[in-house]
Amino acid sequence: VSNKSAQASEFLSKLSSIVGADQVLTEVSECWSYGYDNSRRHALPEAVVFPSSHQQVRDIVLLCNEESVPVTARGRGTGTTGATVPVQGGIVLSTERFDQTLEIDRDNRVAVVSPGITNKALQDKAGEYGFFWPPDPTSSAYCTVGGNLAYNSAGPRAVKYGTPRENVLGLQAVTGLGEELRTGTYTTKGVVGYDFTRLLVGSEGTLAIITEATLKLTPKPEAVQTMRAIYNSMESAAHAVSAIMAQPVTPCALEFIDGAAIQMIRDYSEVDLPANAGALLMLEVDGKQDELASYAGAIKTAATNDGLTEFTVAETEAAKAALWKTRKALSPALRKVAPKKINEDVVVPVSNIPKLIMGLEQLAKQHDITIVNFGHAGNGNIHVNLLTDPSEESNRVRAEQCLADVFSLVLDLKGTISGEHGVGLEKQAFVARELDPVSLRLMNEIKGIFDPNNILNPGKMFPARDAL
Ligand SMILES: Cc1cc2nc3c(=O)[nH]c(=O)nc-3n(C[C@H](O)[C@H](O)[C@H](O)COP(=O)(O)OP(=O)(O)OC[C@H]3O[C@@H](n4cnc5c(N)ncnc54)[C@H](O)[C@@H]3O)c2cc1C
């Protein structure tokens, strides 16, 4: 939106004519909250627009492309890396009123939805037909399917059922030129052309705006069995993770909490855990009721090694809830200790988890920062939490040096710097460490083809051009 007020008001009146005046916000007080996400960064958009159809999204992008106005797509702003923060101004395109379930096709295990539907609303709808959509971020009650796709967000179930990339069949989308495209197939097999569906998934709103998603549903399991294994050392727990993943019964959750995190739960909650526990695993298997005992037995066998000190199987719903209470107590405990903590989500091959954790212990000592680790061990996706207050200058400098070392460690261990939170603004500076120069150049060229005027979420995901 130009500074020149006549041009600006003409632009806003064109915007209003696309969606209706009541679907456009322009007051600073109303636009303010659409400038944040969970990274706590903020930039004020010049307007917020609420389309409710594919046509409206297309017309908005056509207008913005003509007038060179940046467009930042936004689901519910629960992302943690600043990808929805409109750092170059322009408009925020919120999908929160574009939230229909268009079809649940039971015979073909397919759901077709608008991008603004929340993950939970989709699960509820699919559940009525006996299905679920596997991606299950902890924020599911609030985050949108569009946001899940644009970040490739997932949760504990990814270890067995995969991330959005494995659970989406096709998309409808609008490029930065306002061109409309359909990607992928309605079928679970298909190999015609390049795979634009999986290119758009994880592209953080920089290539196209998703206006419809055709999703692969999975039948709900009959029953779930929950278990907890406690180890005297981190290494024993990490070896158990590799052993569990190497046998045929894949758990539908394999979550890991390290010794420092266990101590924090003991200190700041009522949850009863043994003192000096080195690490614990939360495990779940699912399937038919009469299969679960044998699945749980196979998991227990694989989880057993010299360091196992306790293995608990939840026999009742109450016992299951009690076991998960441990995991749920962790976030509030961490918030109490370090409200401004830095939370990374690195990934390493499961067999390298012990080396990662040992390396992190060394870095914690070297940089004098408490580091607490937990996460989706079955995928090697570990949330590395630096318990520090980066708003204080000396802490910020130490945390930055520590983070740079954490990412080097992860890359040396054949890992990746983000498993689910994405790059946004937070990890831009580190992308060139993971991607080779040719990949970066090709990605830049792809961005130029989808969005030649760089209006879609500009300034995100890649290092600034002059930093390359
Ligand atoms: C309490 C809490 C728990 C969380 N737990 C998890 C977790 O377990 N696992 C996990 O992976 N993440 C987690 N997250 C992070 C976050 O919830 C997810 O990344 C989520 O997918 C973001 O959805 P959103 O609708 O809020 O998207 P936003 O934050 O609004 O947007 C995210 C990205 O998607 C883009 N986007 C949104 N809609 C579209 C569209 N229609 N077309 C194109 N681009 C679009 C945006 O431009 C931005 O780049 C958590 C966050 C919180 C606050």
Side-chain angles (χ1 to χ4, degrees), residues 184-218:
T185 52
Y186 195 86
T187 54
T188 50
K189 289 188 83 176
V191 69
V192 178
Y194 294 138
D195 190 348
F196 282 164
T197 307
R198 265 143 287 274
L199 173 64
L200 295 188
V201 174
S203 66
E204 301 188 8
T206 61
L207 296 179
I209 296 182
I210 297 163
T211 54
E212 187 186 289
T214 302
L215 306 172
K216 190 164 110 183
L217 298 177
T218 299

PDB file of all heavy atoms in Angstrom, residues 184-218:
ATOM      1  N   GLY A 184      -1.225 -32.250  -8.181  1.00  0.00           N
ATOM      2  CA  GLY A 184      -1.422 -33.596  -7.647  1.00  0.00           C
ATOM      3  C   GLY A 184      -2.594 -34.312  -8.266  1.00  0.00           C
ATOM      4  O   GLY A 184      -3.008 -34.024  -9.395  1.00  0.00           O
ATOM      5  N   THR A 185      -3.156 -35.232  -7.485  1.00  0.00           N
ATOM      6  CA  THR A 185      -4.205 -36.120  -7.983  1.00  0.00           C
ATOM      7  C   THR A 185      -5.270 -36.281  -6.896  1.00  0.00           C
ATOM      8  O   THR A 185      -5.081 -35.846  -5.761  1.00  0.00           O
ATOM      9  CB  THR A 185      -3.618 -37.531  -8.250  1.00  0.00           C
ATOM     10  OG1 THR A 185      -2.941 -37.947  -7.054  1.00  0.00           O
ATOM     11  CG2 THR A 185      -2.655 -37.524  -9.412  1.00  0.00           C
ATOM     12  N   TYR A 186      -6.369 -36.955  -7.276  1.00  0.00           N
ATOM     13  CA  TYR A 186      -7.382 -37.325  -6.281  1.00  0.00           C
ATOM     14  C   TYR A 186      -7.095 -38.759  -5.806  1.00  0.00           C
ATOM     15  O   TYR A 186      -7.700 -39.240  -4.864  1.00  0.00           O
ATOM     16  CB  TYR A 186      -8.758 -37.240  -6.937  1.00  0.00           C
ATOM     17  CG  TYR A 186      -9.925 -37.245  -5.976  1.00  0.00           C
ATOM     18  CD1 TYR A 186     -10.377 -36.069  -5.395  1.00  0.00           C
ATOM     19  CD2 TYR A 186     -10.564 -38.441  -5.651  1.00  0.00           C
ATOM     20  CE1 TYR A 186     -11.449 -36.078  -4.507  1.00  0.00           C
ATOM     21  CE2 TYR A 186     -11.633 -38.456  -4.770  1.00  0.00           C
ATOM     22  CZ  TYR A 186     -12.066 -37.273  -4.201  1.00  0.00           C
ATOM     23  OH  TYR A 186     -13.125 -37.281  -3.322  1.00  0.00           O
ATOM     24  N   THR A 187      -6.161 -39.403  -6.485  1.00  0.00           N
ATOM     25  CA  THR A 187      -5.863 -40.813  -6.229  1.00  0.00           C
ATOM     26  C   THR A 187      -4.579 -40.941  -5.396  1.00  0.00           C
ATOM     27  O   THR A 187      -3.797 -40.004  -5.314  1.00  0.00           O
ATOM     28  CB  THR A 187      -5.638 -41.537  -7.571  1.00  0.00           C
ATOM     29  OG1 THR A 187      -4.625 -40.822  -8.280  1.00  0.00           O
ATOM     30  CG2 THR A 187      -6.910 -41.570  -8.399  1.00  0.00           C
ATOM     31  N   THR A 188      -4.369 -42.132  -4.804  1.00  0.00           N
ATOM     32  CA  THR A 188      -3.184 -42.296  -3.962  1.00  0.00           C
ATOM     33  C   THR A 188      -1.945 -42.659  -4.779  1.00  0.00           C
ATOM     34  O   THR A 188      -0.845 -42.694  -4.243  1.00  0.00           O
ATOM     35  CB  THR A 188      -3.407 -43.378  -2.878  1.00  0.00           C
ATOM     36  OG1 THR A 188      -3.915 -44.537  -3.510  1.00  0.00           O
ATOM     37  CG2 THR A 188      -4.357 -42.899  -1.805  1.00  0.00           C
ATOM     38  N   LYS A 189      -2.126 -42.965  -6.077  1.00  0.00           N
ATOM     39  CA  LYS A 189      -0.972 -43.115  -6.964  1.00  0.00           C
ATOM     40  C   LYS A 189      -1.116 -42.114  -8.095  1.00  0.00           C
ATOM     41  O   LYS A 189      -2.225 -41.734  -8.464  1.00  0.00           O
ATOM     42  CB  LYS A 189      -0.903 -44.539  -7.544  1.00  0.00           C
ATOM     43  CG  LYS A 189      -0.506 -45.577  -6.511  1.00  0.00           C
ATOM     44  CD  LYS A 189      -0.266 -46.938  -7.139  1.00  0.00           C
ATOM     45  CE  LYS A 189       1.128 -47.046  -7.715  1.00  0.00           C
ATOM     46  NZ  LYS A 189       1.395 -48.416  -8.237  1.00  0.00           N
ATOM     47  N   GLY A 190       0.024 -41.691  -8.668  1.00  0.00           N
ATOM     48  CA  GLY A 190      -0.022 -40.737  -9.773  1.00  0.00           C
ATOM     49  C   GLY A 190       1.370 -40.194  -9.999  1.00  0.00           C
ATOM     50  O   GLY A 190       2.051 -39.827  -9.041  1.00  0.00           O
ATOM     51  N   VAL A 191       1.789 -40.162 -11.264  1.00  0.00           N
ATOM     52  CA  VAL A 191       3.178 -39.771 -11.511  1.00  0.00           C
ATOM     53  C   VAL A 191       3.298 -38.916 -12.781  1.00  0.00           C
ATOM     54  O   VAL A 191       4.294 -38.963 -13.480  1.00  0.00           O
ATOM     55  CB  VAL A 191       4.076 -41.040 -11.516  1.00  0.00           C
ATOM     56  CG1 VAL A 191       3.810 -41.916 -12.727  1.00  0.00           C
ATOM     57  CG2 VAL A 191       5.545 -40.700 -11.387  1.00  0.00           C
ATOM     58  N   VAL A 192       2.249 -38.141 -13.066  1.00  0.00           N
ATOM     59  CA  VAL A 192       2.289 -37.318 -14.273  1.00  0.00           C
ATOM     60  C   VAL A 192       2.832 -35.925 -13.917  1.00  0.00           C
ATOM     61  O   VAL A 192       2.222 -35.196 -13.135  1.00  0.00           O
ATOM     62  CB  VAL A 192       0.880 -37.213 -14.905  1.00  0.00           C
ATOM     63  CG1 VAL A 192       0.915 -36.300 -16.133  1.00  0.00           C
ATOM     64  CG2 VAL A 192       0.391 -38.596 -15.309  1.00  0.00           C
ATOM     65  N   GLY A 193       3.963 -35.586 -14.469  1.00  0.00           N
ATOM     66  CA  GLY A 193       4.537 -34.249 -14.265  1.00  0.00           C
ATOM     67  C   GLY A 193       5.335 -34.148 -12.981  1.00  0.00           C
ATOM     68  O   GLY A 193       5.473 -35.109 -12.212  1.00  0.00           O
ATOM     69  N   TYR A 194       5.898 -32.972 -12.759  1.00  0.00           N
ATOM     70  CA  TYR A 194       6.648 -32.719 -11.527  1.00  0.00           C
ATOM     71  C   TYR A 194       5.682 -32.669 -10.346  1.00  0.00           C
ATOM     72  O   TYR A 194       4.498 -32.357 -10.505  1.00  0.00           O
ATOM     73  CB  TYR A 194       7.392 -31.383 -11.623  1.00  0.00           C
ATOM     74  CG  TYR A 194       8.489 -31.344 -12.656  1.00  0.00           C
ATOM     75  CD1 TYR A 194       8.663 -30.235 -13.468  1.00  0.00           C
ATOM     76  CD2 TYR A 194       9.350 -32.427 -12.822  1.00  0.00           C
ATOM     77  CE1 TYR A 194       9.674 -30.190 -14.421  1.00  0.00           C
ATOM     78  CE2 TYR A 194      10.357 -32.389 -13.765  1.00  0.00           C
ATOM     79  CZ  TYR A 194      10.519 -31.279 -14.564  1.00  0.00           C
ATOM     80  OH  TYR A 194      11.507 -31.254 -15.490  1.00  0.00           O
ATOM     81  N   ASP A 195       6.216 -32.908  -9.143  1.00  0.00           N
ATOM     82  CA  ASP A 195       5.367 -33.008  -7.957  1.00  0.00           C
ATOM     83  C   ASP A 195       5.210 -31.624  -7.304  1.00  0.00           C
ATOM     84  O   ASP A 195       5.888 -31.305  -6.331  1.00  0.00           O
ATOM     85  CB  ASP A 195       5.992 -34.019  -6.985  1.00  0.00           C
ATOM     86  CG  ASP A 195       5.056 -34.362  -5.844  1.00  0.00           C
ATOM     87  OD1 ASP A 195       4.040 -33.649  -5.686  1.00  0.00           O
ATOM     88  OD2 ASP A 195       5.339 -35.318  -5.113  1.00  0.00           O
ATOM     89  N   PHE A 196       4.304 -30.814  -7.871  1.00  0.00           N
ATOM     90  CA  PHE A 196       4.101 -29.464  -7.330  1.00  0.00           C
ATOM     91  C   PHE A 196       3.443 -29.498  -5.946  1.00  0.00           C
ATOM     92  O   PHE A 196       3.580 -28.560  -5.168  1.00  0.00           O
ATOM     93  CB  PHE A 196       3.219 -28.638  -8.272  1.00  0.00           C
ATOM     94  CG  PHE A 196       3.960 -28.111  -9.479  1.00  0.00           C
ATOM     95  CD1 PHE A 196       3.263 -27.638 -10.584  1.00  0.00           C
ATOM     96  CD2 PHE A 196       5.341 -28.059  -9.514  1.00  0.00           C
ATOM     97  CE1 PHE A 196       3.939 -27.133 -11.695  1.00  0.00           C
ATOM     98  CE2 PHE A 196       6.032 -27.566 -10.619  1.00  0.00           C
ATOM     99  CZ  PHE A 196       5.321 -27.100 -11.714  1.00  0.00           C
ATOM    100  N   THR A 197       2.686 -30.584  -5.669  1.00  0.00           N
ATOM    101  CA  THR A 197       2.008 -30.640  -4.369  1.00  0.00           C
ATOM    102  C   THR A 197       3.039 -30.576  -3.244  1.00  0.00           C
ATOM    103  O   THR A 197       2.957 -29.740  -2.342  1.00  0.00           O
ATOM    104  CB  THR A 197       1.186 -31.945  -4.247  1.00  0.00           C
ATOM    105  OG1 THR A 197       0.347 -32.027  -5.381  1.00  0.00           O
ATOM    106  CG2 THR A 197       0.366 -31.972  -2.981  1.00  0.00           C
ATOM    107  N   ARG A 198       4.042 -31.455  -3.347  1.00  0.00           N
ATOM    108  CA  ARG A 198       5.044 -31.495  -2.278  1.00  0.00           C
ATOM    109  C   ARG A 198       6.026 -30.325  -2.355  1.00  0.00           C
ATOM    110  O   ARG A 198       6.722 -30.037  -1.402  1.00  0.00           O
ATOM    111  CB  ARG A 198       5.760 -32.850  -2.265  1.00  0.00           C
ATOM    112  CG  ARG A 198       5.095 -33.808  -1.253  1.00  0.00           C
ATOM    113  CD  ARG A 198       5.065 -35.225  -1.707  1.00  0.00           C
ATOM    114  NE  ARG A 198       4.089 -35.359  -2.760  1.00  0.00           N
ATOM    115  CZ  ARG A 198       2.779 -35.575  -2.554  1.00  0.00           C
ATOM    116  NH1 ARG A 198       2.323 -35.723  -1.339  1.00  0.00           N
ATOM    117  NH2 ARG A 198       1.930 -35.651  -3.563  1.00  0.00           N
ATOM    118  N   LEU A 199       6.051 -29.618  -3.490  1.00  0.00           N
ATOM    119  CA  LEU A 199       6.843 -28.386  -3.552  1.00  0.00           C
ATOM    120  C   LEU A 199       6.132 -27.277  -2.757  1.00  0.00           C
ATOM    121  O   LEU A 199       6.760 -26.536  -1.994  1.00  0.00           O
ATOM    122  CB  LEU A 199       7.023 -27.949  -5.014  1.00  0.00           C
ATOM    123  CG  LEU A 199       7.691 -26.591  -5.236  1.00  0.00           C
ATOM    124  CD1 LEU A 199       9.132 -26.602  -4.724  1.00  0.00           C
ATOM    125  CD2 LEU A 199       7.673 -26.215  -6.721  1.00  0.00           C
ATOM    126  N   LEU A 200       4.808 -27.206  -2.932  1.00  0.00           N
ATOM    127  CA  LEU A 200       4.072 -26.144  -2.222  1.00  0.00           C
ATOM    128  C   LEU A 200       3.994 -26.442  -0.720  1.00  0.00           C
ATOM    129  O   LEU A 200       3.995 -25.523   0.108  1.00  0.00           O
ATOM    130  CB  LEU A 200       2.670 -25.971  -2.807  1.00  0.00           C
ATOM    131  CG  LEU A 200       2.613 -25.459  -4.261  1.00  0.00           C
ATOM    132  CD1 LEU A 200       1.170 -25.144  -4.662  1.00  0.00           C
ATOM    133  CD2 LEU A 200       3.475 -24.228  -4.478  1.00  0.00           C
ATOM    134  N   VAL A 201       3.916 -27.745  -0.360  1.00  0.00           N
ATOM    135  CA  VAL A 201       3.903 -28.079   1.072  1.00  0.00           C
ATOM    136  C   VAL A 201       5.278 -27.709   1.646  1.00  0.00           C
ATOM    137  O   VAL A 201       6.307 -28.083   1.115  1.00  0.00           O
ATOM    138  CB  VAL A 201       3.613 -29.584   1.299  1.00  0.00           C
ATOM    139  CG1 VAL A 201       3.763 -29.939   2.780  1.00  0.00           C
ATOM    140  CG2 VAL A 201       2.211 -29.928   0.824  1.00  0.00           C
ATOM    141  N   GLY A 202       5.272 -26.921   2.703  1.00  0.00           N
ATOM    142  CA  GLY A 202       6.539 -26.496   3.307  1.00  0.00           C
ATOM    143  C   GLY A 202       7.103 -25.229   2.689  1.00  0.00           C
ATOM    144  O   GLY A 202       8.190 -24.799   3.070  1.00  0.00           O
ATOM    145  N   SER A 203       6.373 -24.598   1.747  1.00  0.00           N
ATOM    146  CA  SER A 203       6.941 -23.413   1.083  1.00  0.00           C
ATOM    147  C   SER A 203       6.573 -22.111   1.802  1.00  0.00           C
ATOM    148  O   SER A 203       6.882 -21.018   1.312  1.00  0.00           O
ATOM    149  CB  SER A 203       6.538 -23.370  -0.393  1.00  0.00           C
ATOM    150  OG  SER A 203       5.145 -23.179  -0.513  1.00  0.00           O
ATOM    151  N   GLU A 204       5.917 -22.214   2.939  1.00  0.00           N
ATOM    152  CA  GLU A 204       5.704 -21.064   3.847  1.00  0.00           C
ATOM    153  C   GLU A 204       5.048 -19.865   3.155  1.00  0.00           C
ATOM    154  O   GLU A 204       5.369 -18.702   3.442  1.00  0.00           O
ATOM    155  CB  GLU A 204       7.042 -20.660   4.511  1.00  0.00           C
ATOM    156  CG  GLU A 204       7.658 -21.803   5.312  1.00  0.00           C
ATOM    157  CD  GLU A 204       8.881 -21.403   6.145  1.00  0.00           C
ATOM    158  OE1 GLU A 204       9.181 -20.209   6.244  1.00  0.00           O
ATOM    159  OE2 GLU A 204       9.532 -22.311   6.705  1.00  0.00           O
ATOM    160  N   GLY A 205       4.150 -20.135   2.240  1.00  0.00           N
ATOM    161  CA  GLY A 205       3.396 -19.051   1.591  1.00  0.00           C
ATOM    162  C   GLY A 205       4.229 -18.192   0.663  1.00  0.00           C
ATOM    163  O   GLY A 205       3.818 -17.085   0.314  1.00  0.00           O
ATOM    164  N   THR A 206       5.409 -18.703   0.236  1.00  0.00           N
ATOM    165  CA  THR A 206       6.281 -17.880  -0.625  1.00  0.00           C
ATOM    166  C   THR A 206       6.072 -18.160  -2.110  1.00  0.00           C
ATOM    167  O   THR A 206       6.538 -17.384  -2.944  1.00  0.00           O
ATOM    168  CB  THR A 206       7.777 -18.135  -0.307  1.00  0.00           C
ATOM    169  OG1 THR A 206       8.063 -19.510  -0.563  1.00  0.00           O
ATOM    170  CG2 THR A 206       8.128 -17.786   1.128  1.00  0.00           C
ATOM    171  N   LEU A 207       5.422 -19.287  -2.448  1.00  0.00           N
ATOM    172  CA  LEU A 207       5.264 -19.624  -3.870  1.00  0.00           C
ATOM    173  C   LEU A 207       3.834 -19.440  -4.354  1.00  0.00           C
ATOM    174  O   LEU A 207       3.606 -19.049  -5.502  1.00  0.00           O
ATOM    175  CB  LEU A 207       5.673 -21.091  -4.116  1.00  0.00           C
ATOM    176  CG  LEU A 207       7.134 -21.467  -3.861  1.00  0.00           C
ATOM    177  CD1 LEU A 207       7.352 -22.954  -4.136  1.00  0.00           C
ATOM    178  CD2 LEU A 207       8.073 -20.634  -4.732  1.00  0.00           C
ATOM    179  N   ALA A 208       2.864 -19.777  -3.514  1.00  0.00           N
ATOM    180  CA  ALA A 208       1.460 -19.717  -3.914  1.00  0.00           C
ATOM    181  C   ALA A 208       0.600 -19.740  -2.662  1.00  0.00           C
ATOM    182  O   ALA A 208       1.056 -20.183  -1.604  1.00  0.00           O
ATOM    183  CB  ALA A 208       1.118 -20.924  -4.795  1.00  0.00           C
ATOM    184  N   ILE A 209      -0.631 -19.268  -2.817  1.00  0.00           N
ATOM    185  CA  ILE A 209      -1.566 -19.345  -1.684  1.00  0.00           C
ATOM    186  C   ILE A 209      -2.499 -20.535  -1.913  1.00  0.00           C
ATOM    187  O   ILE A 209      -3.117 -20.664  -2.972  1.00  0.00           O
ATOM    188  CB  ILE A 209      -2.342 -18.027  -1.538  1.00  0.00           C
ATOM    189  CG1 ILE A 209      -1.325 -16.940  -1.203  1.00  0.00           C
ATOM    190  CG2 ILE A 209      -3.423 -18.152  -0.458  1.00  0.00           C
ATOM    191  CD1 ILE A 209      -1.870 -15.585  -0.965  1.00  0.00           C
ATOM    192  N   ILE A 210      -2.521 -21.423  -0.931  1.00  0.00           N
ATOM    193  CA  ILE A 210      -3.334 -22.637  -1.035  1.00  0.00           C
ATOM    194  C   ILE A 210      -4.792 -22.262  -0.773  1.00  0.00           C
ATOM    195  O   ILE A 210      -5.107 -21.634   0.247  1.00  0.00           O
ATOM    196  CB  ILE A 210      -2.859 -23.690  -0.001  1.00  0.00           C
ATOM    197  CG1 ILE A 210      -1.426 -24.108  -0.302  1.00  0.00           C
ATOM    198  CG2 ILE A 210      -3.804 -24.890   0.026  1.00  0.00           C
ATOM    199  CD1 ILE A 210      -0.717 -24.815   0.856  1.00  0.00           C
ATOM    200  N   THR A 211      -5.674 -22.650  -1.707  1.00  0.00           N
ATOM    201  CA  THR A 211      -7.086 -22.303  -1.540  1.00  0.00           C
ATOM    202  C   THR A 211      -7.962 -23.533  -1.332  1.00  0.00           C
ATOM    203  O   THR A 211      -9.141 -23.413  -1.012  1.00  0.00           O
ATOM    204  CB  THR A 211      -7.599 -21.517  -2.770  1.00  0.00           C
ATOM    205  OG1 THR A 211      -7.313 -22.294  -3.946  1.00  0.00           O
ATOM    206  CG2 THR A 211      -6.930 -20.161  -2.877  1.00  0.00           C
ATOM    207  N   GLU A 212      -7.394 -24.708  -1.555  1.00  0.00           N
ATOM    208  CA  GLU A 212      -8.144 -25.952  -1.311  1.00  0.00           C
ATOM    209  C   GLU A 212      -7.139 -27.082  -1.164  1.00  0.00           C
ATOM    210  O   GLU A 212      -6.115 -27.085  -1.828  1.00  0.00           O
ATOM    211  CB  GLU A 212      -9.062 -26.230  -2.515  1.00  0.00           C
ATOM    212  CG  GLU A 212     -10.017 -27.384  -2.314  1.00  0.00           C
ATOM    213  CD  GLU A 212     -10.784 -27.680  -3.598  1.00  0.00           C
ATOM    214  OE1 GLU A 212     -11.653 -26.867  -3.985  1.00  0.00           O
ATOM    215  OE2 GLU A 212     -10.489 -28.715  -4.227  1.00  0.00           O
ATOM    216  N   ALA A 213      -7.445 -28.031  -0.271  1.00  0.00           N
ATOM    217  CA  ALA A 213      -6.533 -29.162  -0.085  1.00  0.00           C
ATOM    218  C   ALA A 213      -7.310 -30.470  -0.161  1.00  0.00           C
ATOM    219  O   ALA A 213      -8.372 -30.607   0.448  1.00  0.00           O
ATOM    220  CB  ALA A 213      -5.826 -29.053   1.267  1.00  0.00           C
ATOM    221  N   THR A 214      -6.782 -31.413  -0.943  1.00  0.00           N
ATOM    222  CA  THR A 214      -7.351 -32.760  -1.026  1.00  0.00           C
ATOM    223  C   THR A 214      -6.448 -33.654  -0.191  1.00  0.00           C
ATOM    224  O   THR A 214      -5.268 -33.833  -0.506  1.00  0.00           O
ATOM    225  CB  THR A 214      -7.394 -33.233  -2.497  1.00  0.00           C
ATOM    226  OG1 THR A 214      -8.171 -32.292  -3.238  1.00  0.00           O
ATOM    227  CG2 THR A 214      -8.014 -34.612  -2.623  1.00  0.00           C
ATOM    228  N   LEU A 215      -6.996 -34.156   0.913  1.00  0.00           N
ATOM    229  CA  LEU A 215      -6.172 -34.811   1.933  1.00  0.00           C
ATOM    230  C   LEU A 215      -6.443 -36.308   1.996  1.00  0.00           C
ATOM    231  O   LEU A 215      -7.583 -36.751   1.801  1.00  0.00           O
ATOM    232  CB  LEU A 215      -6.465 -34.192   3.304  1.00  0.00           C
ATOM    233  CG  LEU A 215      -6.315 -32.671   3.384  1.00  0.00           C
ATOM    234  CD1 LEU A 215      -6.829 -32.151   4.722  1.00  0.00           C
ATOM    235  CD2 LEU A 215      -4.865 -32.248   3.164  1.00  0.00           C
ATOM    236  N   LYS A 216      -5.390 -37.048   2.300  1.00  0.00           N
ATOM    237  CA  LYS A 216      -5.501 -38.501   2.441  1.00  0.00           C
ATOM    238  C   LYS A 216      -5.906 -38.817   3.878  1.00  0.00           C
ATOM    239  O   LYS A 216      -5.193 -38.442   4.809  1.00  0.00           O
ATOM    240  CB  LYS A 216      -4.135 -39.098   2.131  1.00  0.00           C
ATOM    241  CG  LYS A 216      -4.117 -40.576   1.997  1.00  0.00           C
ATOM    242  CD  LYS A 216      -2.835 -40.996   1.311  1.00  0.00           C
ATOM    243  CE  LYS A 216      -1.933 -41.709   2.272  1.00  0.00           C
ATOM    244  NZ  LYS A 216      -0.658 -42.086   1.688  1.00  0.00           N
ATOM    245  N   LEU A 217      -7.033 -39.496   4.053  1.00  0.00           N
ATOM    246  CA  LEU A 217      -7.472 -39.858   5.407  1.00  0.00           C
ATOM    247  C   LEU A 217      -7.045 -41.285   5.747  1.00  0.00           C
ATOM    248  O   LEU A 217      -6.822 -42.105   4.857  1.00  0.00           O
ATOM    249  CB  LEU A 217      -8.994 -39.745   5.506  1.00  0.00           C
ATOM    250  CG  LEU A 217      -9.579 -38.355   5.267  1.00  0.00           C
ATOM    251  CD1 LEU A 217     -11.104 -38.409   5.318  1.00  0.00           C
ATOM    252  CD2 LEU A 217      -9.051 -37.350   6.286  1.00  0.00           C
ATOM    253  N   THR A 218      -6.971 -41.572   7.041  1.00  0.00           N
ATOM    254  CA  THR A 218      -6.599 -42.911   7.526  1.00  0.00           C
ATOM    255  C   THR A 218      -7.700 -43.398   8.464  1.00  0.00           C
ATOM    256  O   THR A 218      -8.199 -42.606   9.274  1.00  0.00           O
ATOM    257  CB  THR A 218      -5.258 -42.828   8.297  1.00  0.00           C
ATOM    258  OG1 THR A 218      -4.262 -42.362   7.388  1.00  0.00           O
ATOM    259  CG2 THR A 218      -4.829 -44.167   8.849  1.00  0.00           C
TER     260      THR A 218
END
